[in-house]
Amino acid sequence: MLTLHARLQEADKMQVLEFDTVIIGSGLAGLAASYNAANFGSVAIITKSQLDTSNSYYAQGGIAAAIDKTDSPELHLRDTMVTGRGLCDRDAVEILVNEGRERVLELIDLGMPFDKENGEFVLGLEGGHNKRRILHSGGDATGKELTCFQLELVKQKENIQAFEYVAALRLLQNENCIQGVQAYDFKSKKNIVFKAKAVILATGGLSRIFERSTNPHTATGDGVALAYAAGAQIADLEFIQFHPSALYVPGKNAYLISEAVRGEGAWILNHEGERFMKDIHPLAELAPRDVVAYSIFRQIQKSGKKNIFLSLKHLDEQQIKQRFKNIDSHLKEYGFDMTKDLLPISPAAHYMVGGVHTNLNAETNISGLFACGEVASTGVMGANRLASNSLLECLVFGKRASEKAATQKKPAGELILPEPVHVDTANEQLFLKYQNEMSVLMSENLGIVRNKTTLQKALDRCHEIETSFAPDANEYNLLKIRNTATLCKLIAQSALVREESRGGHIREDFQKENPDFKVHILQQKGCNYQFENVRD
Ligand code: SIN
């Protein structure tokens, strides 16, 4: 702990930089927002890791857009709304499917190399889509190709400055109006205060707070924690999407086997070798993700084992290995032949469906604070995200956020420098210990199926952890412990309030959908939770 004198000295050394817009996060939403924001003024893009480390980068499936002659934004809207189980806001989905198509066509015009065959785009199929409408690139490397393409566009803009290995710590504000961001630079080991007219959160999701997750280590919910601490409204956090087909190898990461593989015909088999999904949903293995993940969960529970299987043995080896080169080579590293072996799978936390509550222009309830991409709850995902809609959301609402941010006036009032934050490496082990404990707690009590007892257990323990660290801690690891505990609590609280089963939220003690809960659940620091009507 630094003495007061040392802290004041540190504050003196704080670097203060000024930009029109500061964007936190360098996934597709952050890159799209930066690229557009640069049309209006100076931009800082800050990331706690490298520019090319993001969840978007690892997206395998692709980006959904109604570009086929037999498809239309209306059909895309219908699939999105059905999959969202009554919780999608129609106006937001209309924007997503219409502007999404425009954004994708713009990227194609700029030269984005989506995969083609005989001059035509090859369109993939994923769960919940009644049409082939998933554009992909590099076969199963769409996220990498798309983020690298967008990053190149960003690098061409001279008024964008990138800050790598700089972690956002606190949002600075005066009377509900954003003034900037306090951040820690891991290279110089100094605090930086970024003054700005607008701050756009594009920090991605939080699935890494679960023990089994398909996400990179950076997906720890930083944006939600920052926004909540600043007084922003957080919506629908109970909806965590579990991806049905993550590789299950004990002691190894839950490697994602794209739903696009099932789109090309892969079967899900139980331990008796039965294709049980055929009896559960007309779309069988391509039913919406909540249905497939829950059905797999039940089969695993029934078998007493830890996994079931994905089988591609009946498919054309050459075609499959050509289309899914990355997955094939990863599976080889794990010792599996993609088309010859039964692949052990089990669901894993994949996507935060709720997030920082925004309006249609990606604005939060704090003036000058915006959110886009997975960190945001724009109303398009409902209770269950339609596969491959997320990269589309990044493009659409990244652009909208930057355009609205450009209209923001310079904040009134003097910016008061915050207390500096330091890193004490002695606390790293403590953070890992708590992170590990909470990830197990979340997976065991807030997994695919929940009930009042499991939710209360997770809530109580996270409350205990949260309150054992001072709210004004100025050490990075202690801040992270508190933030993780707060996020887990917010998920558990929202899940306790929603006394029904809907989409990705399944309650053993309330097994039916309840029309009274056709509402968004909002949480805000210092306030009771609120319900907001769905705009359908
Ligand atoms: C996948 O490739 O299965 C993931 C795509 C998505 O989450 O939208």
Side-chain angles (χ1 to χ4, degrees), residues 60-62 126 241 243 256-260 289 350 385-390:
Q60 295 174 352
E126 288 182 33
Q241 185 167 69
H243 197 288
L256 176 71
I257 306 178
S258 176
E259 203 156 281
R289 239 171 236 181
H350 181 63
R385 176 178 65 100
L386 182 67
S388 285
N389 263 355
S390 43

Side-chain angles (χ1 to χ4, degrees), residues 266-320:
W267 291 341
I268 297 175
L269 303 178
N270 62 16
H271 286 269
E272 282 70 49
E274 293 157 349
R275 261 188 84 192
F276 57 91
M277 281 310 302
K278 279 198 307 182
D279 302 327
I280 294 174
H281 196 280
L283 291 172
E285 280 86 355
L286 288 173
R289 239 171 236 181
D290 55 341
V291 177
V292 183
Y294 178 61
S295 308
I296 293 177
F297 171 87
R298 293 297 303 270
Q299 287 287 331
I300 289 177
Q301 212 179 30
K302 212 166 81 183
S303 72
K305 307 248 171 36
K306 300 276 189 201
N307 64 281
I308 52 157
F309 302 100
L310 193 67
S311 176
L312 286 80
K313 291 181 180 186
H314 56 291
L315 300 175
D316 184 285
E317 177 172 359
Q318 238 195 331
Q319 247 174 31
I320 288 292

Side-chain angles (χ1 to χ4, degrees), residues 184-230:
Y184 184 82
D185 182 346
F186 290 103
K187 297 185 299 302
S188 67
K189 302 196 178 359
K190 298 242 167 67
N191 282 231
I192 306 177
V193 167
F194 292 89
K195 287 169 81 174
K197 290 184 203 156
V199 172
I200 301 180
L201 297 170
T203 47
L206 52 58
S207 293
R208 260 294 166 141
I209 67 174
F210 287 81
E211 192 187 15
R212 238 179 94 72
S213 165
T214 61
N215 288 192
H217 67 282
T218 48
T220 48
D222 308 359
V224 175
L226 286 169
Y228 181 74

Side-chain angles (χ1 to χ4, degrees), residues 42-43 67 92 248 300 302 307 314 316 390-391 423 484 494 523:
S42 60
V43 180
I67 64 155
Y248 179 80
I300 289 177
K302 212 166 81 183
N307 64 281
H314 56 291
D316 184 285
S390 43
L391 293 178
V423 177
T484 310
S494 213
Q523 298 186 81

